[in-house]
Amino acid sequence: MPDQPALPFTFEVLYGEGITLSQFDNHIIRRLSNMKSHFLDNAAYEAALAQEDTVLYEVYEIHRPEIPGELLHGLSIVHPGKVGNEYYMTKGHFHTVLETAEVYYCLRGQGCMVMESPEGDWAVEPLRPQTVLYVPPRWAHRSVNTDSKEDLVTFFIYPGNAGHDYGSIEKQGFRKLVVEVDASPQIQDNPRWLPPEVR
Ligand code: 6PG
Ligand code: NI
């Protein structure tokens, strides 16, 4: 039987002590143990993990078919904290279909989106309430929470067929790190990163 055509629907973004959605199909929880090799200071990572397998970020997803024409959307929540001097962040990824973009709307918190292209171009854009961020096709993206107390909450929308490619980021990370220096966020070079021509 062919799929029934989708019916229009609405749901609400619920603002409370935390922000959540009135309706969602999937709740992803990413803990320290899911983030091996993502933070530069591995000793600090192992020490933190030995203490507690803390939740770093959560994603609430609305399921839609993963086909062109559909839009996948949901809520991303990065909690405050650091591993060594590097702020809590998402794993980050390229879309498997590289030519797919994404829009983020920031609802709460303070942070930034770290981005880079396969050619090694990079960008870091601020995320704070009322910011709309456009991630163009081909740019890998990672959200970073630079606040010491508040969650970084964003609503995201991207094409249904985009897919996630975590592999290259897992290997060497993004070109730029966001770390705390003298109580403020600073963008630094990632010493593990190699330009595409020498990988
Ligand atoms: C996506 C979005 C977004 C992202 C989350 C968690 O393409 O799915 O960029 O929903 O998945 O913010 O980040 P990671 O997927 O990198 O863990
Ligand atoms: Ni994405």
Side-chain angles (χ1 to χ4, degrees), residues 5-180:
L7 294 173
F9 61 90
T10 55
F11 58 89
E12 283 174 78
V13 177
L14 304 173
Y15 283 74
E17 200 180 312
I19 298 182
T20 184
L21 301 179
S22 61
Q23 178 191 308
F24 57 88
D25 301 305
N26 196 20
H27 180 196
I28 301 168
I29 297 180
R30 294 270 180 256
R31 296 175 180 275
L32 260 184
S33 57
N34 304 122
M35 296 291 285
K36 198 167 173 57
S37 83
H38 281 94
F39 292 97
L40 184 65
D41 186 342
N42 202 50
Y45 173 83
E46 292 296 345
L49 188 56
Q51 289 285 312
E52 195 188 336
D53 194 6
T54 313
V55 175
L56 266 55
Y57 64 100
E58 304 178 54
V59 182
Y60 293 91
E61 292 178 324
I62 314 293
H63 270 166
R64 297 300 314 153
E66 297 188 4
I67 55 174
E70 284 283 353
L71 293 171
L72 302 183
H73 53 287
L75 200 68
S76 161
I77 302 173
V78 184
H79 298 301
K82 284 176 293 169
V83 173
N85 63 356
E86 198 173 0
Y87 295 104
Y88 283 2
M89 60 196 184
T90 60
K91 291 181 178 204
H93 56 267
F94 286 94
H95 289 161
T96 313
V97 177
L98 203 54
E99 300 295 337
T100 52
E102 184 157 347
V103 171
Y104 281 83
Y105 179 58
C106 184
L107 305 172
R108 182 177 283 174
Q110 300 290 330
C112 56
M113 190 70 78
V114 176
M115 293 166 280
E116 74 184 45
S117 73
E119 293 75 32
D121 298 321
W122 66 273
V124 177
E125 290 289 328
L127 289 172
R128 57 180 101 84
Q130 300 176 23
T131 302
V132 178
L133 170 77
Y134 182 66
V135 182
R138 310 185 83 257
W139 286 71
H141 39 286
R142 154 183 287 168
S143 8
V144 181
N145 183 349
T146 59
D147 195 78
S148 59
K149 295 191 191 74
E150 213 173 26
D151 287 342
L152 175 68
V153 186
T154 52
F155 193 86
F156 58 82
I157 306 165
Y158 62 98
N161 62 325
H164 296 88
D165 166 15
Y166 292 99
S168 47
I169 300 298
E170 239 155 38
K171 229 181 269 160
Q172 59 169 16
F174 280 76
R175 182 170 184 171
K176 297 291 171 178
L177 308 176
V178 185
V179 298
E180 187 175 81

